[in-house]
Amino acid sequence: MGKITFYEEKNFQGRSYECMSDCSDMSSYLSRSQSCRVESGCFMVYDRNSYMGNQFFMKRGEYSDFMNMMGMSNGIRSCRMIPMHRGQFRMKIYEKENFGGQSHEMMEDCDNIMDRYRMNECQSCNVMDGHWLMYEQPQFRGKMMYMRPGEYRNFMDMGMSGMKFMSMRRIMDMC
Protein backbone atom coordinates (compact mmCIF):
# COMPACT_ATOMS: atom_id res chain seq x y z
CA MET A 1 0.00 0.00 0.00
CA GLY A 2 1.29 3.44 -0.85
CA LYS A 3 1.26 6.58 1.26
CA ILE A 4 1.92 10.17 0.21
CA THR A 5 1.50 13.36 2.25
CA PHE A 6 0.90 16.68 0.49
CA TYR A 7 1.63 20.09 2.01
CA GLU A 8 0.19 23.47 1.02
CA GLU A 9 3.54 25.24 1.17
CA LYS A 10 7.09 24.52 0.08
CA ASN A 11 9.41 22.68 2.46
CA PHE A 12 6.57 20.65 4.03
CA GLN A 13 4.91 23.67 5.64
CA GLY A 14 1.25 24.57 6.10
CA ARG A 15 -1.74 22.27 6.17
CA SER A 16 -1.24 18.69 5.03
CA TYR A 17 -3.27 15.92 3.46
CA GLU A 18 -2.34 12.23 3.75
CA CYS A 19 -3.36 10.09 0.79
CA MET A 20 -3.26 6.31 0.31
CA SER A 21 -5.30 5.98 -2.90
CA ASP A 22 -6.28 7.90 -6.03
CA CYS A 23 -7.50 11.48 -5.61
CA SER A 24 -9.02 13.21 -8.66
CA ASP A 25 -9.44 16.63 -7.02
CA MET A 26 -7.30 17.73 -4.10
CA SER A 27 -8.99 21.13 -3.75
CA SER A 28 -11.44 19.77 -1.18
CA TYR A 29 -8.48 18.92 1.09
CA LEU A 30 -5.92 21.65 0.34
CA SER A 31 -6.07 25.01 -1.42
CA ARG A 32 -2.84 24.08 -3.21
CA SER A 33 0.04 21.64 -2.86
CA GLN A 34 3.64 22.85 -3.16
CA SER A 35 5.53 19.92 -1.58
CA CYS A 36 5.07 16.26 -0.61
CA ARG A 37 6.63 13.23 1.03
CA VAL A 38 6.21 9.75 -0.41
CA GLU A 39 6.53 7.35 2.51
CA SER A 40 5.80 4.18 0.54
CA GLY A 41 4.72 3.09 -2.90
CA CYS A 42 4.75 5.00 -6.18
CA PHE A 43 2.42 7.73 -7.38
CA MET A 44 1.75 9.81 -10.46
CA VAL A 45 0.92 13.43 -9.67
CA TYR A 46 -0.82 15.81 -12.07
CA ASP A 47 -0.98 19.59 -12.32
CA ARG A 48 -4.68 19.50 -13.23
CA ASN A 49 -7.76 17.84 -11.73
CA SER A 50 -9.02 14.47 -12.96
CA TYR A 51 -5.53 13.12 -13.74
CA MET A 52 -4.97 15.58 -16.58
CA GLY A 53 -2.13 17.87 -17.58
CA ASN A 54 1.56 17.41 -16.89
CA GLN A 55 2.40 14.21 -15.04
CA PHE A 56 5.28 13.36 -12.76
CA PHE A 57 6.37 10.04 -11.30
CA MET A 58 7.00 10.04 -7.55
CA LYS A 59 8.71 7.26 -5.64
CA ARG A 60 9.76 7.12 -2.02
CA GLY A 61 11.40 10.39 -1.03
CA GLU A 62 10.91 14.05 -0.23
CA TYR A 63 9.90 16.69 -2.78
CA SER A 64 10.24 20.08 -1.09
CA ASP A 65 9.46 22.44 -4.00
CA PHE A 66 7.48 21.32 -7.06
CA MET A 67 7.91 24.59 -8.96
CA ASN A 68 11.71 24.45 -8.97
CA MET A 69 12.03 20.68 -9.23
CA MET A 70 9.48 20.00 -11.96
CA GLY A 71 8.15 23.29 -13.28
CA MET A 72 4.73 22.74 -11.70
CA SER A 73 3.73 26.35 -11.18
CA ASN A 74 0.18 25.44 -10.09
CA GLY A 75 1.28 22.64 -7.80
CA ILE A 76 -0.40 19.26 -7.66
CA ARG A 77 -4.14 19.00 -8.33
CA SER A 78 -4.65 15.21 -8.49
CA CYS A 79 -2.71 12.00 -7.85
CA ARG A 80 -2.93 8.33 -8.70
CA MET A 81 -1.38 5.46 -6.75
CA ILE A 82 0.49 2.99 -8.96
CA PRO A 83 -0.13 -0.61 -7.89
CA MET A 84 2.91 -2.86 -7.89
CA HIS A 85 2.86 -5.39 -10.70
CA ARG A 86 4.46 -8.79 -10.34
CA GLY A 87 4.84 -10.77 -13.51
CA GLN A 88 5.57 -10.07 -17.13
CA PHE A 89 5.25 -6.73 -18.88
CA ARG A 90 3.73 -6.43 -22.36
CA MET A 91 2.78 -3.41 -24.44
CA LYS A 92 2.19 -3.03 -28.16
CA ILE A 93 3.10 0.39 -29.51
CA TYR A 94 1.81 1.91 -32.75
CA GLU A 95 3.31 4.62 -34.90
CA LYS A 96 -0.06 6.29 -35.62
CA GLU A 97 -3.23 6.96 -33.64
CA ASN A 98 -6.04 4.36 -33.61
CA PHE A 99 -3.49 1.53 -33.72
CA GLY A 100 -2.30 2.49 -37.20
CA GLY A 101 1.06 2.28 -38.92
CA GLN A 102 4.03 0.26 -37.86
CA SER A 103 3.69 -1.68 -34.58
CA HIS A 104 5.95 -3.54 -32.17
CA GLU A 105 5.34 -5.56 -29.03
CA MET A 106 7.55 -4.66 -26.10
CA MET A 107 8.40 -6.60 -22.96
CA GLU A 108 11.38 -4.54 -21.79
CA ASP A 109 12.35 -0.88 -21.46
CA CYS A 110 13.16 0.95 -24.69
CA ASP A 111 15.35 4.05 -24.49
CA ASN A 112 14.81 5.04 -28.13
CA ILE A 113 12.12 3.65 -30.46
CA MET A 114 13.82 5.23 -33.49
CA ASP A 115 17.06 3.31 -32.88
CA ARG A 116 15.43 0.03 -31.85
CA TYR A 117 12.38 -0.18 -34.12
CA ARG A 118 12.97 2.52 -36.77
CA MET A 119 9.72 4.18 -35.64
CA ASN A 120 9.51 7.98 -35.90
CA GLU A 121 6.95 8.25 -33.11
CA CYS A 122 4.38 6.43 -30.99
CA GLN A 123 0.84 7.82 -31.03
CA SER A 124 -1.20 4.90 -29.66
CA CYS A 125 -0.64 1.72 -27.66
CA ASN A 126 -2.22 -1.29 -26.02
CA VAL A 127 -0.86 -2.10 -22.55
CA MET A 128 -1.54 -5.78 -21.95
CA ASP A 129 0.50 -6.41 -18.79
CA GLY A 130 2.16 -4.18 -16.23
CA HIS A 131 2.40 -0.44 -15.72
CA TRP A 132 4.60 1.77 -17.92
CA LEU A 133 5.95 5.30 -18.21
CA MET A 134 6.21 6.79 -21.69
CA TYR A 135 8.51 9.76 -22.38
CA GLU A 136 8.39 12.35 -25.16
CA GLN A 137 12.15 12.16 -25.78
CA PRO A 138 14.69 9.33 -26.07
CA GLN A 139 16.63 8.24 -22.97
CA PHE A 140 13.56 8.59 -20.70
CA ARG A 141 13.56 12.40 -20.83
CA GLY A 142 10.96 15.12 -21.22
CA LYS A 143 7.27 14.99 -20.40
CA MET A 144 5.94 11.63 -19.33
CA MET A 145 2.68 9.75 -19.27
CA TYR A 146 1.59 6.87 -17.01
CA MET A 147 0.06 3.91 -18.83
CA ARG A 148 -1.81 1.16 -17.01
CA PRO A 149 -3.38 -1.88 -18.71
CA GLY A 150 -5.80 -0.82 -21.42
CA GLU A 151 -6.13 0.50 -24.95
CA TYR A 152 -4.96 4.02 -25.75
CA ARG A 153 -6.16 4.94 -29.24
CA ASN A 154 -5.24 8.60 -29.20
CA PHE A 155 -2.99 10.38 -26.69
CA MET A 156 -4.65 13.72 -27.52
CA ASP A 157 -7.84 12.43 -25.86
CA MET A 158 -5.82 12.16 -22.65
CA GLY A 159 -4.85 15.82 -22.62
CA MET A 160 -1.50 15.23 -24.30
CA SER A 161 -2.10 17.07 -27.57
CA GLY A 162 0.88 17.06 -29.88
CA MET A 163 2.79 14.55 -27.74
CA LYS A 164 4.78 11.88 -29.52
CA PHE A 165 6.50 9.36 -27.32
CA MET A 166 10.04 8.18 -28.05
CA SER A 167 11.01 6.01 -25.03
CA MET A 168 9.20 3.68 -22.63
CA ARG A 169 10.05 2.25 -19.21
CA ARG A 170 8.38 -0.42 -17.06
CA ILE A 171 7.40 0.57 -13.53
CA MET A 172 8.97 -2.22 -11.54
CA ASP A 173 10.11 -2.68 -7.95
CA MET A 174 11.64 0.80 -7.86
CA CYS A 175 9.09 2.10 -5.36
Side-chain angles (χ1 to χ4, degrees), residues 91-104 119 121-128 134 147-155 157-158:
M91 174 171 62
K92 192 165 189 174
I93 60 172
Y94 298 84
E95 189 173 29
K96 302 293 180 197
E97 58 190 39
N98 294 313
F99 311 125
Q102 191 180 162
S103 69
H104 294 278
M119 285 177 71
E121 59 198 19
C122 172
Q123 292 189 11
S124 58
C125 71
N126 181 11
V127 177
M128 295 161 283
M134 298 179 72
M147 311 301 280
R148 55 189 181 175
E151 292 184 345
Y152 301 90
R153 294 182 170 278
N154 186 340
F155 297 142
D157 293 344
M158 302 171 67

Side-chain angles (χ1 to χ4, degrees), residues 13-27:
Q13 300 296 309
R15 290 184 5 192
S16 65
Y17 169 62
E18 190 176 280
C19 185
M20 292 187 282
S21 62
D22 295 354
C23 180
S24 65
D25 183 1
M26 292 182 49
S27 65

Side-chain angles (χ1 to χ4, degrees), residues 6 8 20 33 52 56 68 92 105 125 130-131 133-134:
F6 297 98
E8 282 190 328
M20 292 187 282
S33 177
M52 299 294 283
F56 297 93
N68 287 333
K92 192 165 189 174
E105 188 168 311
C125 71
H131 299 260
L133 290 176
M134 298 179 72

Side-chain angles (χ1 to χ4, degrees), residues 4 6-10 23-27 30-36 44-56 58 63-79:
I4 187 170
F6 297 98
Y7 298 86
E8 282 190 328
E9 305 297 332
K10 298 175 186 174
C23 180
S24 65
D25 183 1
M26 292 182 49
S27 65
L30 299 173
S31 61
R32 64 177 178 259
S33 177
Q34 300 289 321
S35 59
C36 75
M44 286 305 290
V45 297
Y46 304 80
D47 65 358
R48 292 178 33 209
N49 292 338
S50 303
Y51 320 113
M52 299 294 283
N54 292 315
Q55 306 179 19
F56 297 93
M58 304 282 209
Y63 304 87
S64 62
D65 183 356
F66 295 135
M67 183 181 278
N68 287 333
M69 292 171 62
M70 298 172 245
M72 291 183 85
S73 58
N74 294 328
I76 293 174
R77 301 288 185 202
S78 57
C79 76

